[in-house]
Amino acid sequence: RKALVAAKLGMDDTVVDLGCGDGRICRVACLLGANAVGYDLDKELIKKANLLAFQMTGCTNKPNFHVADLFAVELDTFSVVVMFLLPDIMERLVPKLLMKFERKNRRIITFGWPVPGLGEPTTCYKEMQKSDDAGVNSCRLIDRWYIYENAMYSS
């Protein structure tokens, strides 16, 4: 939720979640007023996502979910691309993602890792939590996300 709020998600946005899993990001996007569509290869996760979307309350729009290869998804109509993917997969998407930035107010939100080759993110967030594992004082990363606006390719 914090990442979607930080990206100033609103009623004029249409979100696509590539590799959406059970659809939780799309559901939050709809609760924030945006329209949302999720894609994943896993048929069972898409069934679960559609069931959870059907059961949603508190918003007028509900997300849609589809089984699809994320490399085949057309991104033209979306103002926000959300990904929780491994860096090597995101890097393969960079040429397609950059075509999205021909128009204003286009954003990319990634969870876990920055996008290799996409330049510096506009916003970077990391949340650490103190832990005492086996009597050793340490910190562990509990949340990390990046937002890209007006991205440019960097080699």
Side-chain angles (χ1 to χ4, degrees), residues 1-8 28 32 111 125 127 143 145 147:
R1 182 175 181 95
K2 290 178 187 175
L4 299 178
V5 170
K8 299 175 182 78
V28 170
L32 293 172
F111 293 88
Y125 175 84
E127 186 174 338
D143 196 11
W145 44 263
I147 300 173

Side-chain angles (χ1 to χ4, degrees), residues 33-155:
N35 293 304
V37 181
Y39 295 94
D40 204 293
L41 282 175
D42 189 318
K43 292 176 186 174
E44 292 305 311
L45 282 174
I46 292 299
K47 281 183 190 176
K48 181 177 181 180
N50 279 312
L51 176 64
L52 291 170
F54 178 75
Q55 296 170 343
M56 279 179 69
T57 60
C59 63
T60 56
N61 53 332
K62 302 215 181 201
N64 294 301
F65 300 97
H66 308 281
V67 175
D69 180 342
L70 60 93
F71 293 100
V73 175
E74 290 298 325
L75 301 176
D76 298 350
T77 60
F78 300 104
S79 57
V80 179
V81 175
V82 177
M83 300 180 291
F84 194 164
L85 303 169
L86 294 172
D88 61 319
I89 295 172
M90 289 191 291
E91 187 172 31
R92 290 174 42 206
L93 285 166
V94 166
K96 191 171 192 168
L97 293 170
L98 287 175
M99 292 188 325
K100 288 190 56 46
F101 287 95
E102 293 174 2
R103 290 186 264 164
K104 291 185 178 188
N105 290 333
R106 299 296 179 107
R107 281 121 30 221
I108 298 170
I109 303 171
T110 65
F111 293 88
W113 299 273
V115 181
L118 200 56
E120 289 297 315
T122 309
T123 305
C124 175
Y125 175 84
K126 294 179 184 178
E127 186 174 338
M128 306 296 283
Q129 183 178 56
K130 289 186 179 185
S131 62
D132 189 12
D133 297 331
V136 177
N137 242 347
S138 63
C139 288
R140 67 183 177 101
L141 183 66
I142 60 169
D143 196 11
R144 176 173 49 192
W145 44 263
Y146 305 87
I147 300 173
Y148 295 85
E149 298 177 64
N150 305 317
M152 294 176 56
Y153 182 74
S154 67
S155 51

Side-chain angles (χ1 to χ4, degrees), residues 15-35:
V15 176
V16 61
D17 186 358
L18 301 175
C20 67
D22 67 4
R24 66 188 66 196
I25 292 171
C26 289
R27 291 193 306 276
V28 170
C30 287
L31 290 170
L32 293 172
N35 293 304

